[in-house]
Amino acid sequence: MTENLDSLPLSDRLAREIRNLLISGELPAGQRLSEAAFSERFDVSRNSLREAFRLLTKAGLLRHEANRGVFVAVPTIATILDIYRVRRMVECGALRQSWPRHSAVTSMREAVEVAKIRREALDWVGVGSANMSFHESVVDLADSTRLSDFYERIAAELRLGFGLLANPEQLHAPFVELNDKIVKLVEEGMADDAAREMEIYLNLSERTVLKSLERHGE
């Protein structure tokens, strides 16, 4: 549930597209971004691309290094702690007010089923992408375009943290069944139980990501 991209300036649309690449896991933390390659990829001028890079740098998703270029940001422990604080407030709150026939519940179920298929194929990047879709759908339960747009921004930072895991299976595999459990509770009209399960889920996920960051910094 996001605003119409066609109504945005070109630089904002480019920033949104690059952000989506971060969310999908295509651009890992620490990667250098080539102006020439991205200008060609999106068929835009370097000036427009630089403005998009500036917007993403301001949002904390990219960093500029003098005489070296633009790089995908590496999340800090403080960033991850803040993201999970926000996630507990937003996702648990959205689940508490959920109702079984909301269209986002269908999207949650579809994301779980995609994750199961990707898990069977041992495609952990695909599982991660399905997991991100699941949580975006959870936020959509709140019926707030602004909240869903805000969540997209922090989802990109979150995916960068996921990308630092040496073993992505360790993060993603356990949460497929937990997602399934949460959506079943919503489908059965047990909104408060679903919110409690999500809080347990997020606490476990936070600990896993923080451990990976600690190892990355060693």
Side-chain angles (χ1 to χ4, degrees):
M1 185 191 298
T2 54
E3 61 190 301
N4 184 355
L5 292 181
D6 292 337
S7 66
L8 297 175
L10 177 58
S11 57
D12 291 82
R13 295 200 303 272
L14 284 170
R16 185 72 67 90
E17 291 196 51
I18 295 169
R19 191 172 75 198
N20 287 340
L21 295 178
L22 297 171
I23 294 172
S24 71
E26 184 173 335
L27 300 177
Q31 177 175 318
R32 183 179 183 278
L33 303 186
S34 164
E35 279 191 10
F38 274 79
S39 289
E40 183 176 350
R41 176 172 185 164
F42 294 115
D43 192 23
V44 296
S45 71
R46 292 199 181 190
N47 283 339
S48 296
L49 187 64
R50 285 170 190 151
E51 177 60 18
F53 283 173
R54 187 191 67 78
L55 292 172
L56 292 168
T57 299
K58 184 178 179 181
L61 296 175
L62 301 180
R63 73 176 192 276
H64 180 267
E65 295 186 13
N67 302 318
R68 293 195 65 211
V70 176
F71 296 79
V72 178
V74 177
T76 64
I77 288 177
T79 297
I80 295 299
L81 287 171
D82 195 32
I83 287 172
Y84 274 91
R85 186 181 301 117
V86 171
R87 292 186 72 189
R88 278 186 281 269
M89 294 173 63
V90 173
E91 296 188 50
C92 294
L95 284 167
R96 286 190 192 96
Q97 69 176 46
S98 65
W99 58 290
R101 294 187 180 181
H102 194 292
S103 60
V105 179
T106 300
S107 299
M108 290 166 64
R109 169 56 62 195
E110 289 172 351
V112 168
E113 298 310 315
V114 169
K116 290 178 179 178
I117 293 169
R118 295 293 90 212
R119 180 181 60 184
E120 289 300 313
L122 302 180
D123 174 10
W124 300 112
V125 172
V127 171
S129 294
N131 183 53
M132 298 301 290
S133 296
F134 175 84
H135 290 282
E136 287 171 5
S137 297
V138 168
V139 177
D140 285 344
L141 290 168
D143 287 320
S144 169
T145 300
R146 290 176 178 82
L147 195 58
S148 294
D149 183 62
F150 168 72
Y151 186 80
E152 275 192 13
R153 292 180 227 168
I154 66 169
E157 291 184 272
L158 183 63
R159 190 59 185 263
L160 294 179
F162 290 169
L164 297 176
L165 283 158
N167 180 10
E169 179 181 357
Q170 178 186 1
L171 175 67
H172 298 307
F175 295 103
V176 177
E177 296 306 323
L178 291 175
N179 286 346
D180 196 12
K181 182 177 183 179
I182 289 169
V183 75
K184 281 178 181 176
L185 289 170
V186 176
E187 290 167 342
E188 293 167 3
M190 302 174 70
D192 288 340
D193 289 340
R196 281 191 290 271
E197 287 297 326
M198 180 61 81
E199 185 163 7
I200 294 169
Y201 173 124
L202 292 174
N203 289 340
L204 176 59
S205 176
E206 180 181 42
R207 288 196 297 271
T208 304
V209 176
L210 287 174
K211 284 180 182 178
S212 75
L213 280 176
E214 288 170 359
R215 288 194 295 269
H216 183 79
E218 291 175 355

